[in-house]
Amino acid sequence: MPPKERVEAEQVLQAVVLADSFDQRFQPITLETARCLLPLCNMPLISYTFEFLAVAGVEEIFVFCCSHADKVKEFVKEYRKESSITIHTIVSPESMSVGDAMRELDAKQLIRTDFILVTGDVVSNMKLDKVLEEHRARRAVDKNAIMTMVLKKASSKHRSRSVGDGSIFVLDQKTKECLHYQPVKAFSSTREDRRLQMSMEVFEKHPEIQIRNDLIDCQIDVCSVEVPALFTENFDYQDIRSDFVHGILTSDLLGKTIHFQEVNDVYAARVRSTQMYDAISKDIISRWTFPMVPDSNLGTSGDRYECRRGLVYKEKSVVLSRTCVVEEKVVIGANTQVAESSVLSNCVIGKNCKIGANVKIDNAYIWDNVTIKDNTQMTQCIIASNAVIEENVKIGKGSMISFNVIIGANSIIPPFTRITALPEEDEDELESDEALVGPTGRGRAFTEAEDSDDEDDETDPRNKLVNKLAYDLEQIKLAAQEQESASEFESEASDVEEDEFDPVEDLNREVAQTLDRAFNENHDVDIAALELNTLRMASNSNFHEMRLRIIPGVLRHIDHAARPGAGKTVKEVLTRWGPLIGKMIHDEQDQVDGLFILQSCCAVQLEDGHKVFGPSLRYFYDEDILEEDAILGWYHSSRSRDGGPAELRLREIAAPLIAFLEAPDSDDEDEDDDDDSEEEEDE
Amino acid sequence: MSSKNVVDDLVAKLKRRQLVGSSAVAQETLKLMIVVISKAPLSTVNQLIDLVKSVGQKLVAANPTEPAVGNIVRRVLHVIREEYRDAENNTNKQGELTAPPSLTTSSSMYNLLGDPTSQQAVYGRYSHALRNNIIQEVKDIRIELETIYDNIKNQASLHIHSNEIIMTIGKSKTVEEFLKMAASKRKFQVLVAETAPSYQGQEMALELSKAGIETTVIPDSAVFAVMSRVNKVILGTHAVLANGGLVAITGTHMMAAAAKHHSTPVVVCTGLYKLSPLYPYDDDSFTVNINPDAVLGFEEGDLIEKVTVANPYYDYVSPDFVNLFITNQGGHPPSYLYRLIVENYHPDDHSL
């Protein structure tokens, strides 16, 4: 033990491993075992995580299991025998998300100091001491620095980047603070998905920021004790990133900060999907994860792998026939036999497998105790333990064959098939699908339940598809994307329209609603004006836009059939709500504009518009909302003369008023009388 | 901590590559051996040998590319056998001398031609005094390990002369001490190959220049070009194999080959604990491919799917490239190594 730890003996470094992924990307295989127990290069996934934590100097690990907890517990029990670390298992079958797990953790009060939070599928050769050191130093200065995320730089098309789980980080390199977080989906069809919204304060506080999408987020976090408590406080947080980090950073009240540590020359990735399983397997075989490579024999199962030229890893007990060809990047587990003329390349083969003659295996992941008989071909697939593949079978790319399945002779498994030997949920016995697995086979095609709870927020079904499809290699991804790209463009085009259209529609609706409310609840004009002004500012529009909506809105309220007293006659509406229009009109230009709107509105939008036009005009004139110059300006402008007969007729209606206005020095009282009589006429 | 825990701890450290470098590994192994021997409540020496062997197997399996682990275990086994024999001889002096003096058996012609099965020695009584003697001897090995640098560097003035140009590669503590010692008496120039991709040569050059040695860093590609001006190549090594071959940092083979072409003498500085009785049946067996990140950055993305990147850490250098070994016991030509192996390891222990 290094002396440093002896000094701070009371500070045992703790880690929390979430042994559940809370999603269903590995089904049907994960129906039968936990995700973190799946073998990755013939070693259970969670051992990589344990190793990583052991290197980091963790002395106490809490493993949080939900599904298949008994299996995880059993594994941990075995592992504990060989390891000097104290490992506890916490079983909580009802936890459905990271948030639930953290709340459970808070309730149990097991965490005493800063801890490392990882998922049970992290593969990394990182040494965390520097991250821990910096985190502690920051905590010493500022108690609000609650979390440090570890991020790894990688280019956009990197195979170790999960296609569906990208993220955008807004970072301040100087203070190592993360300022904003937003998840990125592979296909972002809605407008919200495609935008990044952040508070302007970020720019005020930080002179220099980086907005980055080139970071692999492997969800290795150094958390302080407050983190589980914060999850309890905010009981709706589910995901550690999109809810917790986003929530903390956007909340003004909490005042907590989240920091990051960017790492470059180390490896870190998470087996999030089948596509990532493939990529990380290849990284391990290519030794990017050194020293976490098969020939380090880190596992507790007593493996003795040796690395040969061409990155071939095999145990001493492997029996290769004389004519079989083991090409590059192959891992072969103990006691496996390969018969004559078989060709293996880029694949992982588990323990005690029997591979027949003339078999071609490329890019496949074959787990323990699998029997593959002669002349079988397979590419890019996962075959779980104890499966049997009989003679002359062809397995298409992207297939997943679960535990104990038997594929009968001469079957052809189409690409992307998932086969399980578990009976359907509502049945007791397995009904084999003979068309798929042949008469001697055992297994049925597996289709996922349509609405999986975890991903219901994903509006675009393609996002799910990406993770499912993508355990296959580049070509498939390409093909899938090409296929998608056509529809992608379409949706893009429609989105553009939406972008222009949407705010207009929005404003229309909002204004109409505000006016309705004002009419029905008999608001004060000032209040209505205030609301409308707020709307105007919110939608970033101008008074012209508002007039365009409010004038017809008010005039529409007039009911010609209504009896006086109901508040709906021309006069009553105008006296009651006219000032509202007045609030939208300020200078002479506005007045002219208002007149044009009034004209076109009365001419086109309203029935019996001509009956409204005259009185309105007069009312506005009387109330000094429209001034003489403006009315004259309108009347004499060429635009008022354009338009259909309805518009011209309205102009005629205005003629007496114009004549009156143009008459020199008329008496005020006269004018009033005159107006009144005209109004009565119109009615 | 029980001795099992201590063993597991070291095994884990070796596996995780938390403990690297032959010197550190050797010292840790020896410490562990002392713990194992002093805590084992055994009645016969045979049991002790079996125990040490089983621990040794575990340690060697944990990281087969660190031969120093196996070497130390073999040295300890050798000490146990010798001590037992001495003790037996002492007791037998009073009675009859039954057992032949086995110290010389392994090197005698009789042994090479005779029936090896008849040689299976029986190791009986494990007395308290014997245990103390063994522990004392093992502690002597520890002292030897600690004084290795002194013993080697004291020979420096014999090998480095004034105004010579010395070339070296990689960062070796032994070579560093050796050169510094020589620099205290003589004035000479050192060329250090930068040793891509680990660039340990640059660190080495820094250390040497701090000590006031006139040092030049050259790219690895320039080694052949400047070799004609070099008087002597002084190398460090990770391990020395039974045939005199070296397992040394990548680039050493190239430098040794260039030296041979120009008939420049190649001198290897090494502690005896690095001398392994194993033979290199296969060029790859002692090397280790590490993370290729330094050769091709992982963030290259697209490219790394399409290429296989190898980053071997060690080279195998065949014995005919080496002219002289300088160990803590003096200078030896490669042809003499078999003798050192016989003196330090028992033939029964070559394969643990």
Side-chain angles (χ1 to χ4, degrees):
Chain A
M1 234 177 278
K4 197 184 115 201
E5 274 167 16
R6 222 177 296 157
V7 175
E8 310 165 351
E10 77 279 14
Q11 232 194 41
V12 174
L13 185 56
Q14 295 177 312
V16 175
V17 176
L18 300 171
D20 204 305
S21 55
F22 308 110
D23 64 36
Q24 305 171 344
R25 288 169 184 168
F26 272 85
Q27 282 188 355
I29 287 171
T30 46
L31 291 177
E32 289 169 66
T33 186
R35 157 96 69 100
C36 60
L37 297 183
L38 305 185
L40 181 72
C41 290
N42 293 340
M43 190 163 110
L45 258 176
I46 200 166
S47 337
Y48 288 92
T49 312
F50 286 161
E51 273 305 316
F52 161 64
L53 293 173
V55 171
V58 171
E59 287 160 77
E60 193 171 17
I61 300 178
F62 296 97
V63 180
F64 211 95
C65 0
C66 305
S67 56
H68 303 286
D70 44 336
K71 286 190 173 127
V72 179
K73 263 174 102 172
E74 206 175 298
F75 175 81
V76 167
K77 218 169 119 193
E78 282 299 307
Y79 193 89
R80 219 168 347 190
K81 282 185 203 156
E82 303 281 330
S83 164
S84 54
I85 309 171
T86 333
I87 306 176
H88 308 281
T89 41
I90 305 170
V91 181
S92 165
E94 60 276 2
S95 290
M96 293 304 293
S97 69
V98 180
D100 290 341
M102 296 301 279
R103 281 183 278 276
E104 180 83 25
L105 205 63
D106 187 45
K108 289 209 155 83
Q109 290 293 329
L110 292 164
I111 300 297
R112 296 181 296 276
T113 60
D114 291 3
F115 66 100
I116 301 168
L117 176 68
V118 292
T119 48
D121 49 12
V122 164
V123 179
S124 175
N125 59 358
M126 191 190 313
K127 290 193 174 55
L128 271 182
D129 40 1
K130 220 180 126 206
V131 181
L132 282 168
E133 219 170 88
E134 287 196 18
H135 176 80
R136 283 177 183 150
R138 260 197 300 269
R139 288 277 294 167
V141 177
D142 179 9
K143 279 283 168 210
N144 282 328
I146 51 165
M147 191 164 125
T148 303
M149 302 186 283
V150 180
L151 306 173
K152 176 164 170 59
K153 198 180 159 191
S155 62
S156 63
K157 290 246 172 96
H158 204 283
R159 70 175 171 198
S160 300
R161 278 180 79 116
S162 186
V163 186
D165 305 293
S167 31
I168 288 177
F169 290 94
V170 179
L171 308 171
D172 185 337
Q173 281 292 358
K174 223 173 175 184
T175 59
K176 298 275 174 206
E177 202 179 326
C178 179
L179 308 170
H180 188 80
Y181 169 83
Q182 186 159 326
V184 181
K185 293 166 186 167
F187 296 103
S188 39
S189 50
T190 60
R191 207 151 45 85
E192 287 79 46
D193 284 351
R194 234 173 279 177
R195 300 227 164 133
L196 176 75
Q197 277 194 345
M198 54 188 204
S199 150
M200 293 297 283
E201 275 175 44
V202 166
F203 294 99
E204 284 165 23
K205 285 188 195 151
H206 302 272
E208 222 172 274
I209 62 167
Q210 292 184 338
I211 300 179
R212 297 183 60 173
N213 188 25
D214 64 340
L215 298 166
I216 295 181
D217 173 15
C218 27
Q219 299 203 350
I220 299 167
D221 302 326
V222 183
C223 302
S224 63
V225 251
E226 286 104 311
V227 171
L230 278 167
F231 267 98
T232 314
E233 274 169 39
N234 300 280
F235 50 85
D236 56 334
Y237 284 174
Q238 301 297 330
D239 189 74
I240 182 99
R241 286 285 181 271
S242 57
D243 294 328
F244 180 75
V245 172
H246 190 262
I248 295 290
L249 293 177
T250 48
S251 156
D252 313 332
L253 301 172
L254 294 167
K256 307 286 183 196
T257 52
I258 291 174
H259 291 78
F260 70 95
Q261 180 85 31
E262 197 182 328
V263 293
N264 275 325
D265 46 356
V266 293
Y267 186 87
R270 263 189 73 194
V271 183
R272 285 171 178 245
S273 58
T274 34
Q275 175 247 339
M276 290 297 285
Y277 179 86
D278 174 61
I280 294 174
S281 297
K282 295 217 156 94
D283 288 339
I284 291 173
I285 295 173
S286 310
R287 306 185 76 84
W288 294 99
T289 55
F290 184 87
M292 290 203 192
V293 286
D295 56 325
S296 293
N297 300 312
L298 292 167
T300 48
S301 49
D303 299 333
R304 297 287 287 270
Y305 285 98
E306 282 176 5
C307 178
R308 299 293 167 123
R309 279 249 156 122
L311 300 175
V312 173
Y313 303 85
K314 69 180 189 63
E315 291 254 5
K316 278 235 165 76
S317 52
V318 169
V319 181
L320 297 177
S321 67
R322 197 175 52 82
T323 54
C324 80
V325 183
V326 179
E327 288 179 358
E328 267 200 336
K329 299 181 186 170
V330 179
V331 180
I332 309 177
N335 302 317
T336 289
Q337 299 176 4
V338 184
E340 306 279 328
S341 308
S342 290
V343 182
L344 314 179
S345 60
N346 295 308
C347 58
V348 178
I349 297 169
K351 296 183 193 90
N352 307 317
C353 292
K354 285 198 170 57
I355 294 172
N358 276 317
V359 174
K360 281 199 171 62
I361 300 175
D362 180 40
N363 277 306
Y365 300 92
I366 296 164
W367 298 352
D368 298 345
N369 306 317
V370 174
T371 305
I372 297 172
K373 295 190 178 161
D374 300 354
N375 304 318
T376 292
Q377 291 185 14
M378 55 183 75
T379 49
Q380 304 170 354
C381 56
I382 297 178
I383 296 174
S385 299
N386 302 317
V388 177
I389 316 286
E390 292 184 347
E391 287 88 353
N392 304 317
V393 174
K394 262 195 183 155
I395 298 179
K397 58 190 178 183
S399 296
M400 267 166 107
I401 293 172
S402 188
F403 299 97
N404 305 314
V405 169
I406 300 172
I407 309 268
N410 306 315
S411 305
I412 291 177
I413 307 294
F416 308 111
T417 317
R418 293 163 175 227
I419 301 175
T420 178
L422 275 191
E424 299 251 13
E425 260 177 54
D426 41 1
E427 285 170 36
D428 296 339
E429 259 178 63
L430 170 75
E431 242 178 72
S432 285
D433 185 353
E434 280 198 16
L436 188 66
V437 298
T440 51
R442 186 167 177 279
R444 65 175 172 92
F446 172 81
T447 43
E448 205 172 337
E450 274 306 308
D451 47 357
S452 52
D453 293 341
D454 317 288
E455 296 178 72
D456 52 4
D457 56 325
E458 291 194 9
T459 45
D460 194 332
R462 284 174 300 176
N463 282 328
K464 248 167 124 183
L465 212 62
V466 162
N467 277 316
K468 257 192 256 174
L469 271 182
Y471 56 75
D472 277 284
L473 305 168
E474 198 60 20
Q475 316 101 321
I476 299 170
K477 261 191 279 175
L478 277 178
Q481 266 157 13
E482 267 163 32
Q483 202 187 340
E484 305 292 357
S485 59
S487 54
E488 175 77 346
F489 282 130
E490 272 169 40
S491 68
E492 195 103 38
S494 65
D495 273 357
V496 172
E497 267 173 45
E498 227 179 275
D499 284 0
E500 290 174 354
F501 194 58
D502 240 359
V504 176
E505 275 282 278
D506 255 24
L507 190 60
N508 278 344
R509 206 181 53 244
E510 291 284 339
V511 170
Q513 281 171 356
T514 312
L515 286 176
D516 277 351
R517 244 189 343 264
F519 296 147
N520 293 338
E521 294 163 23
N522 214 5
H523 283 174
D524 209 35
V525 168
D526 283 330
I527 292 176
L530 185 69
E531 278 189 28
L532 290 168
N533 256 331
T534 321
L535 259 182
R536 175 180 62 85
M537 285 189 239
S539 62
N540 200 20
S541 66
N542 51 29
F543 280 109
H544 169 74
E545 294 284 327
M546 297 308 283
R547 283 193 292 269
L548 264 179
R549 290 170 178 80
I550 293 168
I551 294 174
V554 170
L555 296 184
R556 225 176 255 136
H557 195 56
I558 295 167
D559 187 351
H560 295 286
R563 261 177 277 147
K568 290 214 166 185
T569 61
V570 179
K571 196 171 179 179
E572 278 163 340
V573 169
L574 281 176
T575 29
R576 177 79 178 81
W577 295 110
L580 183 60
I581 297 175
K583 299 247 182 217
M584 298 293 139
I585 290 173
H586 303 288
D587 57 10
E588 195 179 321
Q589 237 178 338
D590 287 359
Q591 297 172 11
V592 178
D593 182 59
L595 269 167
F596 281 118
I597 293 168
L598 185 66
Q599 185 190 12
S600 70
C601 149
C602 289
V604 185
Q605 297 181 6
L606 297 175
E607 286 174 50
D608 300 327
H610 57 281
K611 285 190 192 161
V612 179
F613 184 71
S616 312
L617 195 59
R618 196 144 12 90
Y619 168 79
F620 289 136
Y621 176 69
D622 291 348
E623 294 295 313
D624 283 338
I625 292 168
L626 299 180
E627 280 163 15
E628 196 176 326
D629 291 348
I631 299 179
L632 291 176
W634 161 73
Y635 189 76
H636 293 297
S637 77
S638 57
R639 226 180 100 194
S640 70
R641 254 166 266 170
D642 299 343
E647 269 108 344
L648 289 176
R649 197 176 147 208
L650 292 174
R651 199 165 167 266
E652 294 296 306
I653 292 172
L657 180 65
I658 301 299
F660 162 77
L661 288 175
E662 283 179 334
D665 296 329
S666 58
D667 192 8
D668 267 2
E669 270 184 28
D670 267 339
E671 192 191 289
D672 275 337
D673 291 345
D674 200 7
D675 285 349
D676 284 344
S677 62
E678 248 187 65
E679 189 185 317
E680 272 151 30
E681 265 171 45
D682 274 319
E683 271 180 70
Chain B
M1 241 196 244
S2 77
S3 68
K4 183 181 180 291
N5 277 351
V6 185
V7 174
D8 285 347
D9 203 43
L10 185 60
V11 166
K13 271 189 184 164
L14 286 170
K15 272 189 181 179
R16 289 172 190 147
R17 299 329 197 240
Q18 280 175 312
L19 186 67
V20 285
S22 15
S23 170
V25 165
Q27 288 186 14
E28 285 297 315
T29 313
L30 203 59
K31 257 190 222 162
L32 176 71
M33 282 298 153
I34 294 173
V35 172
V36 168
I37 293 168
S38 52
K39 287 202 174 170
L42 298 171
S43 51
T44 70
V45 176
N46 248 346
Q47 282 173 326
L48 179 69
I49 288 174
D50 287 345
L51 175 75
V52 170
K53 268 194 178 181
S54 74
V55 170
Q57 275 166 2
K58 267 193 198 165
L59 294 177
V60 170
N63 190 352
T65 55
E66 288 284 1
V69 179
N71 297 343
I72 292 295
V73 174
R74 288 183 190 101
R75 280 286 288 278
V76 170
L77 286 170
H78 187 245
V79 162
I80 295 171
R81 288 173 203 271
E82 290 301 305
E83 284 303 313
Y84 174 73
R85 192 152 297 119
D86 284 355
E88 284 297 284
N89 286 347
N90 285 341
T91 48
N92 286 340
K93 259 174 201 161
Q94 285 121 30
E96 248 177 279
L97 195 79
T98 47
S102 328
L103 179 61
T104 53
T105 50
S106 49
S107 49
S108 78
M109 189 63 99
Y110 171 75
N111 246 320
L112 291 175
L113 301 173
D115 181 8
T117 49
S118 65
Q119 290 298 311
Q120 274 302 342
V122 179
Y123 297 93
R125 264 174 300 142
Y126 181 40
S127 65
H128 194 70
L130 180 57
R131 196 175 80 167
N132 285 349
N133 281 349
I134 290 171
I135 292 175
Q136 193 48 52
E137 280 296 309
V138 174
K139 282 187 175 157
D140 284 350
I141 304 179
R142 196 156 142 191
I143 292 163
E144 185 196 314
L145 283 184
E146 280 158 11
T147 55
I148 262 176
Y149 296 129
D150 292 334
N151 287 334
I152 294 175
K153 77 181 179 191
N154 286 338
Q155 304 168 49
S157 52
L158 296 174
H159 297 279
I160 296 178
H161 309 293
S162 282
N163 298 321
E164 273 191 337
I165 299 176
I166 310 288
M167 188 185 267
T168 187
I169 188 167
K171 188 172 193 315
S172 158
K173 179 87 174 141
T174 323
V175 174
E176 191 189 313
E177 293 286 329
F178 191 79
L179 293 176
K180 278 182 185 168
M181 186 68 182
S184 66
K185 289 185 184 151
R186 307 234 158 83
K187 209 173 141 45
F188 56 95
Q189 196 188 339
V190 179
L191 299 173
V192 187
E194 61 177 3
T195 329
S198 62
Y199 299 105
Q200 288 181 7
Q202 296 179 352
E203 292 166 38
M204 177 77 161
L206 188 68
E207 289 298 321
L208 293 179
S209 62
K210 272 185 196 160
I213 301 172
E214 191 185 339
T215 313
T216 314
V217 178
I218 55 168
D220 296 336
S221 52
V223 164
F224 186 83
V226 295
M227 188 57 85
S228 56
R229 296 179 54 222
V230 172
N231 299 94
K232 208 167 270 156
V233 174
I234 297 183
L235 299 174
T237 183
H238 175 65
V240 181
L241 302 175
N243 64 347
L246 308 179
V247 179
I249 189 146
T250 305
T252 309
H253 183 264
M254 171 205 49
M255 185 175 280
K260 191 171 173 80
H261 182 87
H262 286 102
S263 299
T264 311
V266 174
V267 177
V268 175
C269 295
T270 171
L272 262 189
Y273 69 94
K274 290 183 180 177
L275 178 62
S276 168
L278 301 176
Y279 276 91
Y281 294 111
D282 168 0
D283 276 10
D284 289 340
S285 50
F286 287 99
T287 191
V288 52
N289 273 296
I290 61 161
N291 185 351
D293 208 52
V295 182
L296 182 71
F298 186 65
E299 56 284 352
E300 295 291 332
D302 248 5
L303 191 60
I304 65 154
E305 274 176 66
K306 292 163 193 149
V307 294
T308 304
V309 192
N311 185 7
Y313 195 76
Y314 298 120
D315 261 353
Y316 170 69
V317 184
S318 78
D320 37 327
F321 288 125
V322 182
N323 301 89
L324 188 70
F325 285 98
I326 300 174
T327 71
N328 39 331
Q329 291 186 359
H332 315 281
S335 56
Y336 186 71
L337 287 183
Y338 86 96
R339 188 68 223 174
L340 290 175
I341 287 171
V342 166
E343 277 173 19
N344 283 294
Y345 308 116
H346 193 277
D348 288 352
D349 302 331
H350 284 185
S351 62
L352 282 172

